[in-house]
Amino acid sequence: MAVTASTWQPLRGDKRWAYLARARTIRVATANEDGSIYLSPLWLVVHEKKLYIPIDAASRHAANFTAGRPLSALVDQGEEYATVSGVRVMGRMQEVSDPALVETLAGLVVDKYFHVGHPYLEQYLEFGAVAGRRYFELVPDKMIGWDMREINVLPMPEARTLPAHVGDRLV
């Protein structure tokens, strides 16, 4: 069996959901009608261990989602080996039709990406109303996560009382 980051240091269960809930960007790749790939960074929220993505109606992703075309998504971070982590998702999108859930998700997006008095909140809300913003649940067929941050121990000073005959270390 090949060793990968996800087999060496997997990110699973509640830790994976907490990681996804904190993430601010998910990169989604969908197949266009002509077979080409459309890739873009999107916002996401987690509600009851489910992934939701707000999409404006004219988005190419919206057309690809509703057509049932294949998709992959990635949430990742890290600049070097010790900080690399991520979750890859393969699955499909399902439009959210429950008005109460849509309202809950809209509130979660506002709470996550805006603050009281944020200069662009009103524009975001107005544009969403004009652009026909919808919410989709990313229903995973497969999720693979890794988190190399957990195997790397940060250097820290030691405080030990050593026997008197040990003279090569200053404490």
Side-chain angles (χ1 to χ4, degrees), residues 33-119:
E33 187 176 12
D34 65 2
S36 63
I37 301 299
Y38 183 64
L39 172 67
S40 62
L42 300 171
W43 286 353
L44 75 151
V45 291
V46 172
H47 180 62
E48 297 180 351
K49 293 188 178 181
K50 294 180 182 178
L51 290 166
Y52 294 96
I53 300 175
I55 296 289
D56 297 325
S59 162
R60 253 191 246 177
H61 282 308
N64 293 337
F65 295 165
T66 55
R69 298 189 186 112
L71 75 88
S72 288
L74 175 68
V75 173
D76 66 313
Q77 66 180 11
E79 300 299 322
E80 57 189 46
Y81 181 76
T83 62
V84 172
S85 59
V87 175
R88 189 165 33 112
V89 183
M90 287 75 58
R92 59 187 168 77
M93 289 294 197
Q94 180 175 307
E95 188 168 0
V96 176
S97 57
D98 176 9
L101 180 55
V102 168
E103 188 174 326
T104 297
L105 297 174
L108 290 172
V109 168
V110 168
D111 290 346
K112 185 172 185 176
Y113 294 97
F114 299 93
H115 56 76
V116 174
H118 194 287

